[in-house]
Amino acid sequence: LPPFLSLSQTASGYNLNYNADTRHCWANSCINTADPMDDCFGPGPIVTQHGPKEMEYNKMQACAQKVAGYDNWQPFWPFLVCTEAKYDSPFDSNTAETATKCAEEEGSYYQDKISELLECYEGSDGEEALLQMAKNTFDHPGTPTILVNGDAPVLSGFWADAVAAEVCSQYGGSSSPPACAGLLEKQRKFMYETEKAIEGI
């Protein structure tokens, strides 16, 4: 094996110890309950779907959420987009350097908070922020999954306009916004074609 791989990791970074069924079982015992088990969040190693690099990025993003405030997503979002865009870049393999570049971007909320961000990432606060992220994550069928108005999840990876169409379908105003024109019909057509394709498998 190359020196950067372990026996539990494929060349694509997929963690062979990760299992979606196990994750659903864990979520039912630890997230979807008012009485979670004592060992839901440790002790023990954190298992990520795509290995150590993903965990480091997740920790940095968790610290960014902590610094901005968990209910303050607007300043966090551009940082998340920036770090995700650099995730597979051969020029941005160091998580701290990537975070610093993203924090230094023009208009970034984190421009004057880089030291606070790195202090969280490099210390025990980073582990706590990562656990808080796990506690805030609802059980989901796959990624990306987005809840619209707290309702059934939208698997937005299957259709680019899925989230917008779901927002339009739940819009309660007297007149539909212009952006919704044609989206609901496209959604119905997409769902019909998807169901037909599944029936044909």
Side-chain angles (χ1 to χ4, degrees):
L1 286 173
F4 55 85
L5 294 183
S6 70
L7 288 173
S8 62
Q9 185 180 351
T10 66
S12 64
Y14 190 86
N15 186 352
L16 297 177
N17 291 323
Y18 174 86
N19 181 284
D21 291 334
T22 301
R23 175 175 62 80
H24 291 309
C25 178
W26 174 85
N28 284 329
S29 300
C30 300
I31 301 294
N32 305 335
T33 176
D35 187 26
M37 299 184 299
D38 293 337
D39 60 350
C40 281
F41 301 97
I46 295 173
V47 177
T48 55
Q49 183 173 356
H50 299 109
K53 181 180 178 180
E54 179 181 58
M55 185 174 70
E56 292 304 310
Y57 268 68
N58 285 349
K59 183 164 66 170
M60 181 61 78
Q61 292 164 351
C63 282
Q65 280 190 304
K66 178 181 174 66
V67 170
Y70 290 108
D71 295 325
N72 193 21
W73 65 268
Q74 288 93 339
F76 165 69
W77 190 256
F79 180 86
L80 174 67
V81 172
C82 179
T83 53
E84 287 294 322
K86 294 179 182 296
Y87 182 82
D88 288 323
S89 169
F91 304 106
D92 294 283
S93 58
N94 183 289
T95 309
E97 290 179 6
T98 298
T100 300
K101 289 179 182 178
C102 291
E104 289 175 341
E105 286 195 342
E106 184 178 354
S108 173
Y109 171 83
Y110 300 96
Q111 279 184 331
D112 61 348
K113 297 175 175 63
I114 295 175
S115 60
E116 185 179 357
L117 194 60
L118 295 179
E119 183 178 349
C120 171
Y121 170 72
E122 293 167 356
S124 60
D125 283 353
E127 299 296 329
E128 293 175 8
L130 198 54
L131 291 178
Q132 187 61 52
M133 181 183 281
K135 293 175 182 178
N136 292 347
T137 301
F138 59 88
D139 192 21
H140 50 283
T143 58
T145 299
I146 300 173
L147 287 182
V148 176
N149 200 27
D151 211 335
V154 178
L155 287 166
S156 59
F158 295 118
W159 183 45
D161 292 325
V163 176
E166 186 62 26
V167 169
C168 290
S169 71
Q170 295 200 30
Y171 179 72
S174 57
S175 60
S176 180
C180 293
L183 268 180
L184 295 179
E185 182 58 34
K186 283 173 66 178
Q187 182 189 40
R188 282 191 286 269
K189 182 178 179 182
F190 172 80
M191 295 304 295
Y192 173 79
E193 291 174 351
T194 302
E195 290 173 3
K196 286 296 183 184
I198 293 174
E199 288 175 2
I201 294 176

